[in-house]
């Protein structure tokens, strides 16, 4: 069972030498079979909770790239 994910990504070119962008991705946990039983309904509350997955900004220049925040790992 996969959780629902909501992703906002943006990027803008400031000039010929600088491009900046960022990503915000959150996760909304779905009900799974561990919390639902047949005939008894859900045992979880109806409150929606958001968990951050990615929150990062970056700058790309002709000299290199800089990433700051929580994003993909180097092994991904």
């Amino acid at each position: 069972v996969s959780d629902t994910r909501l992703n906002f990504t943006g990027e803008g070119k400031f000039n010929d030498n600088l491009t900046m962008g960022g990503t915000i991705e959150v996760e909304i946990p779905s009900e799974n079979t561990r919390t639902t039983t047949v005939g008894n309904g859900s045992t979880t509350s109806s409150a929606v909770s958001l968990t951050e997955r990615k929150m990062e900004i970056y700058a790309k220049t002709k000299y290199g790239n800089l990433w700051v925040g929580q994003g993909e790992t180097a092994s991904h």
Side-chain angles (χ1 to χ4, degrees), residues 16-75:
D16 291 338
N17 296 322
L18 178 61
T19 301
M20 294 188 74
T23 300
I24 296 174
E25 184 175 301
V26 294
E27 178 177 70
I28 305 167
S30 302
E31 276 191 55
N32 60 41
T33 56
R34 289 184 298 171
T35 59
T36 305
T37 57
V38 176
N40 293 332
S42 174
T43 60
T44 60
S45 70
S46 61
V48 174
S49 64
L50 298 176
T51 305
E52 86 275 353
R53 289 183 46 82
K54 297 179 188 177
M55 294 203 178
E56 62 185 350
I57 58 171
Y58 60 87
K60 296 179 181 180
T61 70
K62 64 181 180 179
Y63 303 109
N65 303 331
L66 174 68
W67 295 79
V68 179
Q70 176 181 322
E72 300 290 348
T73 61
S75 63

